[in-house]
Amino acid sequence: MPSRRHFLQQAGSGLAALALHSQALARAAARTYTNPVYAGQFPDPFVLRHQGRYYAFGTTGQGRTTDGRIFTVLTSANLVDWKPVGGALTPPEGATGADFWAPEVLYHQGTFYMYYSVGGGAIGASVGHRLHVATSKTPQGPYAQVALLDVPDSKFTIDAHPFQDTDGQWYMFYARDFIDSANGYRPGTGLVVDRLVDMTRLAGESRTVMRARHDWTVFEKNRLMPLYGNRTFAEWHTLEGPFVRKHAGKYYCFYSGANFLTPRYGVDYCVADSIMGPYSDAGAEKGPRVLHAVAGHVRGPGHHSHVLSPDGKTEYLVYHAWDKAMKERQLCIDKLAWTAQGPRCQGPTYTPQPLP
């Protein structure tokens, strides 16, 4: 005959199982998420979907993850519930004191390639930021640095974004500095595209995608730039974080503009009939059209990537936005809609939204 202790153990186990089941039912019934979906520091988020799972990669700057690596890695099955799984990149030689920014990852012929920029420290002290690539056999890493994607005429090159066209050819979009004012453009960081000869080499045939020409993209006025001989620029503008989508036969290069600390920061786009351009940002004169701040609720939303929901149908923007104390840039997601006026994010949201 079962003992009283056995009965109580069984009863306790049953109650615990019932509690877990009730919690699961409550989550299922709510069917919502609320931004941020990951409350820790996670700037410049890129999300890779591979074999039904999501892998998010975020900037660590000069910092290291708990396992001593560079770039925070999170995983999720649903774009909402994220779990940290350590760091992505094994620190390369000379990494001490260097800034590592904006990782993006692709999978090609059995290898995962991670693109990012490095500046400062022993690696890039003399030339500012430069683009690098690392490889791994698994999506979460560890990645090992294998090559420099050098742009010889640029002293500041960041935010590498690889894009594969429908014919299979790979291209690299990135951001770099321009210090001239030719053709009505303004000095600052702009967007460029080049062809990839292979996954670790640029063709050296770069073309300008878009440069600053609107008031809202100013980063800082009277900005002193030691990288350019301590020259002071009356206005320094910024376009950064390119991400490309081909939609209805046209190429849309999304980007973030302005100073990431300000309420002006947000996401806009330019569009072209050909991958190498020319691109037009007509309509972007007054401010970012895709994603922008909401006074009192969301500040600095941007530097995004695009990813499909678990059903493979709905497109989401994955972006960062500041916490209220402006101590951390946190991971957020919201739907993207392709409207008659162009692409628009259905956000940034800060209240409960339907699960992806």
Side-chain angles (χ1 to χ4, degrees), residues 62-316:
Q62 295 182 22
R64 298 290 185 268
T65 55
T66 54
D67 52 12
R69 295 178 187 156
I70 297 162
F71 302 130
T72 304
V73 186
L74 311 175
T75 65
S76 174
N78 61 3
L79 278 180
V80 170
D81 300 307
W82 293 94
K83 175 185 176 183
V85 290
L89 177 67
T90 300
E93 185 178 351
T96 302
D99 268 307
F100 289 76
W101 292 355
E104 286 206 15
V105 175
L106 65 84
Y107 179 67
H108 181 68
Q109 297 181 353
T111 299
F112 293 89
Y113 294 85
M114 171 181 283
Y115 301 90
Y116 50 93
S117 73
V118 185
I123 290 177
S126 62
V127 294
H129 270 255
R130 294 189 290 177
L131 303 181
H132 292 74
V133 58
T135 59
S136 173
K137 288 299 180 181
T138 63
Q140 71 271 22
Y143 288 79
Q145 186 165 287
V146 296
L148 166 70
L149 277 68
D150 201 19
V151 181
D153 61 340
S154 176
K155 292 186 176 183
F156 184 80
T157 311
I158 61 170
D159 297 352
H161 168 64
F163 174 79
Q164 187 177 30
D165 205 353
T166 46
D167 63 359
Q169 175 64 52
W170 285 94
Y171 296 85
M172 182 63 71
F173 288 76
Y174 56 88
R176 59 157 294 178
D177 283 357
F178 297 88
I179 61 174
D180 66 276
S181 303
N183 301 316
Y185 289 118
R186 305 180 187 186
T189 307
L191 310 175
V192 171
V193 59
D194 198 352
R195 184 173 56 86
L196 281 166
V197 176
D198 54 37
M199 307 316 291
T200 63
R201 289 186 300 158
L202 294 169
E205 303 166 353
S206 66
R207 294 188 187 178
T208 300
V209 172
M210 186 53 56
R211 289 185 55 185
R213 59 193 188 95
H214 305 309
D215 291 342
W216 71 269
T217 63
V218 68
F219 185 92
E220 186 180 10
K221 294 189 176 183
N222 299 314
R223 189 180 191 193
L224 177 65
M225 299 290 285
L227 200 57
Y228 304 111
N230 286 319
R231 179 177 170 184
T232 297
F233 292 85
E235 285 188 349
W236 184 265
H237 290 253
T238 293
L239 309 182
E240 62 185 11
F243 199 98
V244 177
R245 285 276 287 107
K246 190 174 184 180
H247 179 79
K250 292 183 180 294
Y251 297 87
Y252 290 79
C253 181
F254 294 76
Y255 61 88
S256 296
N259 186 323
F260 69 102
L261 293 166
T262 69
R264 289 179 289 105
Y265 192 73
V267 176
D268 204 272
Y269 66 93
C270 51
V271 62
D273 294 321
S274 169
I275 184 71
M276 297 295 281
Y279 284 81
S280 169
D281 69 343
E285 293 81 4
K286 295 183 179 180
R289 295 166 291 176
V290 179
L291 181 68
H292 52 79
V294 179
H297 296 285
V298 182
R299 186 182 179 99
H303 202 121
H304 72 298
S305 57
H306 298 228
V307 71
L308 291 178
S309 62
D311 65 8
K313 297 177 181 178
T314 307
E315 189 171 354
Y316 275 78

